Structure formats: C-alpha cells, structure tokens
Amino acid sequence: MKAGTSGQAVGGAPPAGQRGLDWRMLAMLLPARRFTAAELLRAVPEPANRSLKVATVFNVAVPVVALLVLLGRSNPAVFSICLIAQALVTLWVLRAIWRDPSSRLVHWLYYLLPVLCMLPPLMLKRWAPEVDRVAMLTLGMMSMATALGLWFATLYRYQYIVIRLRELDERDRAVDMARQLASAQIQPHFLFNSLASLQHWVHTRDERAGPMLDSLTAYLRATLPLFERAHLTVAEEFEAVRRYLEVMQARLGERLRFELALQPEAGTVAMPPGLLLTLVENAVEHGVQPQLAGGTVRVCAQLGAGGRVLIDVCDDGPGLASDPPPGDHGVGLRNSRERLAQAYGQRASLRLSEAPGGGCIARLSLPAAAVSPLP
C-alpha cells in the first residue's frame, strides 16, 4: 500500500467494526475512526455539485414552508423562528457531514442532537405557552426526524469514503501490477540475441566482445529502476536509451547510427519508466534493421509551447506501414498509450507521423504539471 492514502483501516485486513458486529452502530453511535486530510482529498477531490446542493436545500425547505403555511398563522412568531432555525442548522450540519463525516464537529453535534431536539419544544412550552400542542408536537417530531436523518447521512457518507478509499487502493495496486508487467515486456529477444552474439564473440576471441559486455552491463544497470520505481526522469530514460543503442550498435556495426539531444530543463521531467525505451526499440526494429544500409535514430527532448515536454524519436527507415501487421510493434505502442492514460489521463499523448525526408516520427507529449524534479 502506498503511504499516506487510506491507512490500515482500508488496505489489508478490515477494521474491527467490519469483521463482525459493530456495537457502536447498534447503539446508534458514530464510528470512531477519523479520516486524515489526505484521505478526504483522495476520496472526495471535488466539492458537492450544484444539483446536489439545490436538491438538498429544496427537500429541507419544502416541509418547512408547508408547516409555516399550515401552522404559522395560528401560532406566535417564535414558532416560525424555531422552525426556520432548525432548518438552517440542519443544512449547516449536512454541509459538515459532506465535507468530513468523521470530524470532531460532526461527532459533537450528533451527540448533542437529543438535547437540541428537545430544546425547541421545551422553550416554546415555557416561553410561549400560547403555542398549541399540534405545533409543539410537530416541532418535536421534526426534531427527532432530523436527528435520525443526520445519523443516516453521517453513516452513509462515512461508509462511502471508506469504500471509495478501498477501491482506490485496489486500483492503485492493479495499476502498479500493470506497470510492472508492461515494464517487464522489454524485448526479451533483445537480451537473448545480445547474449548469443556476446557468447559467439567470446568463443571466437572477437575483440568486440569486451566493449559489448561493457555496454550490455551498463544497459542492465540503467534499466533496473524500470522494475522498481513508478517514475523516472527523462535524463534517466535517456541513459537507458543510450546504453541500449550502444549494445545494438555493437551488434549491427555501422548499420546503426544514433544521435541524442536532451535539453537540461527537460531532463528533470518525471515520466513512466520504459516509455522512451519502447519507442527507441521500435525505431531500431522497424526503421533500421529492415534496411540493408541501416539507418539513423535521433532522440531529442525539449520544453515546447505552454511548458509541455516534447520527446521525439525519429528514424529514416521505410516509414509507417499502411496496414501494419500485428506483433510486438503494436503491443508496445498500445501498452505505452495505456500507461500514459493511467499516469496523465487525457493530458499526455503519443502520436506517430511520417518524417518529411522519409521515415517515422514518434512524438511523446507530457503535460506541464509533470515538469518538476523527482524527490
């Protein structure tokens, strides 16, 4: 579980009140657990919408207005004042319940409700004896119904936040597992082919074996964080890309040429791990290897308009196929787009286009909110 989310009461074993009978609820007491500010912001990031506010005010105001019309004329003004005050207090308590049903304010108000419910009728009986019994009984029944309704509203809102936090924890765990699975899909045949080439060069005492081993070791060291961290910086991704291209250059020789250009301001941007590496692997596999003369892969990252981070992976290969066959190419791009959607929603994009001089351009656009150094 991630720190600072829902704590022990949501993740792992359920709290004591959910394993069996919760005697606090049986006695109409409120739950003892308190939500933190981070939990409330995570479970309910947005305030109540206008429709809910209007509906709440309308459903509280209608019975109050009806009682004022029916009983207000035959009773002194103090009855109307008590009824209106009760409605305003009810709306204020409902607002506090919506914001945080576990707050001390809500708990104190709830435990004071029995006293507050009996106070208006007693006050009317002593200070305004001319108020008829029907009005006092109506006010008392309204007070008890308000107390019962606020109790149900508090428990409902409380259970909603608990369930929402649990759902968010489950979603985060599923996203994390998907991220690890997607990161684990770094082309395994690349490692097998590289090790096979290295083994052959070692057996034949080829002088390329030493540099190849150094590059492969550096590549594995650079890609290790892909399996351990939810985010890397663009600079760290560039290091993994550099090591990958060095290994492939050792295998392909002069057929592969590459250029890397990283703007310093863009190097601190946080991004999901392995995205850039996947695009470079596709450029090598589909833009360089199919050509007998090889090709060039260019990778550049810079801050674009509006503070967005633009990362381009270009090759001078055959370009985009009109009907690309299914395979690792499509799976890698699909996984990349899914991981972008998980991390940024609609704020990030990945687009492929034909290069003006031939070849393909894969453009990765990250939102300005991601432009910050990782802790």
Side-chain angles (χ1 to χ4, degrees):
M1 178 185 302
K2 296 183 179 180
T5 54
S6 57
Q8 297 176 352
V10 176
Q18 297 178 10
R19 291 197 296 266
L21 182 61
D22 190 345
W23 293 98
R24 294 181 60 85
M25 292 187 182
L26 190 64
M28 294 188 71
L29 299 177
L30 297 183
R33 180 192 170 190
R34 300 286 172 83
F35 298 122
T36 65
E39 289 175 337
L40 291 172
L41 183 62
R42 184 165 182 257
V44 192
E46 300 179 356
N49 58 47
R50 184 177 301 177
S51 299
L52 181 60
K53 293 179 181 178
V54 173
T56 302
V57 173
F58 178 80
N59 285 278
V60 172
V62 165
V64 172
V65 172
L67 290 175
L68 289 175
V69 172
L70 294 175
L71 303 175
R73 296 179 179 179
S74 59
N75 289 279
V78 65
F79 168 76
S80 301
I81 294 175
C82 289
L83 196 60
I84 294 174
Q86 188 180 50
L88 295 177
V89 171
T90 300
L91 292 174
W92 179 65
V93 176
L94 285 174
R95 179 176 179 271
I97 291 173
W98 179 270
R99 297 179 63 180
D100 184 3
S102 68
S103 66
R104 289 184 180 274
L105 175 63
V106 172
H107 278 68
W108 277 106
L109 289 174
Y110 172 75
Y111 295 131
L112 287 175
L113 276 178
V115 178
L116 296 176
C117 290
M118 297 303 300
L119 192 59
L122 292 176
M123 291 174 57
L124 290 180
K125 184 177 181 181
R126 181 175 181 179
W127 295 341
E130 65 272 17
V131 176
D132 57 46
R133 290 186 176 183
V134 175
M136 288 197 302
L137 181 62
T138 299
L139 193 60
M141 293 297 294
M142 286 287 294
S143 301
M144 296 303 299
T146 299
L148 187 61
L150 292 177
W151 180 72
F152 276 112
T154 303
L155 290 185
Y156 174 81
R157 185 63 172 169
Y158 177 89
Q159 292 294 335
Y160 168 81
I161 294 178
V162 169
I163 294 173
R164 179 60 177 163
L165 289 173
R166 187 182 299 115
E167 290 176 348
L168 291 174
D169 282 341
E170 293 294 336
R171 188 196 68 177
D172 288 346
R173 281 191 286 268
V175 170
D176 189 62
M177 293 177 61
R179 176 187 62 81
Q180 295 182 13
L181 178 61
S183 299
Q185 290 180 339
I186 299 174
Q187 298 180 356
H189 59 267
F190 158 73
L191 294 178
F192 293 146
N193 293 340
S194 299
L195 290 175
S197 300
L198 181 61
Q199 182 182 32
H200 173 70
W201 290 345
V202 169
H203 288 167
T204 58
R205 301 182 182 278
D206 195 309
E207 61 182 10
R208 293 175 293 178
M212 173 71 163
L213 181 59
D214 294 339
S215 298
L216 186 58
T217 302
Y219 167 80
L220 294 175
R221 186 180 295 110
T223 55
L224 184 60
L226 269 63
F227 302 93
E228 299 176 344
R229 289 161 51 183
H231 293 87
L232 295 179
T233 62
V234 174
E236 291 172 315
E237 280 278 317
F238 259 69
E239 181 63 21
V241 166
R242 182 188 303 276
R243 300 304 182 181
Y244 166 78
L245 291 173
E246 288 176 353
V247 174
M248 293 302 298
Q249 193 174 57
R251 287 175 47 191
L252 300 177
E254 296 181 355
R255 292 181 57 203
L256 172 61
R257 299 166 296 278
F258 65 88
E259 300 174 5
L260 302 179
L262 173 61
Q263 188 178 17
E265 293 79 5
T268 59
V269 176
M271 63 181 300
L275 282 180
L276 183 56
L277 186 58
T278 299
L279 298 179
V280 174
E281 289 173 348
N282 285 334
V284 173
E285 181 178 355
H286 301 279
V288 175
Q289 289 184 329
Q291 302 183 103
L292 294 178
T296 302
V297 175
R298 297 179 178 86
V299 185
C300 63
Q302 60 183 344
L303 293 182
R308 296 185 65 83
V309 180
L310 304 178
I311 305 176
D312 291 337
V313 179
C314 311
D315 65 75
D316 53 3
L320 295 175
S322 57
D323 187 16
D328 293 340
H329 181 57
V331 172
L333 291 177
R334 183 169 63 251
N335 286 343
S336 298
R337 288 193 171 97
E338 290 176 356
R339 295 175 63 197
L340 277 178
Q342 291 172 353
Y344 304 109
Q346 300 296 324
R347 297 174 298 157
S349 63
L350 171 59
R351 293 184 175 86
L352 302 183
S353 60
E354 294 280 353
C360 176
I361 299 177
R363 167 157 291 189
L364 183 63
S365 177
L366 302 181
V371 185
S372 60
L374 283 178

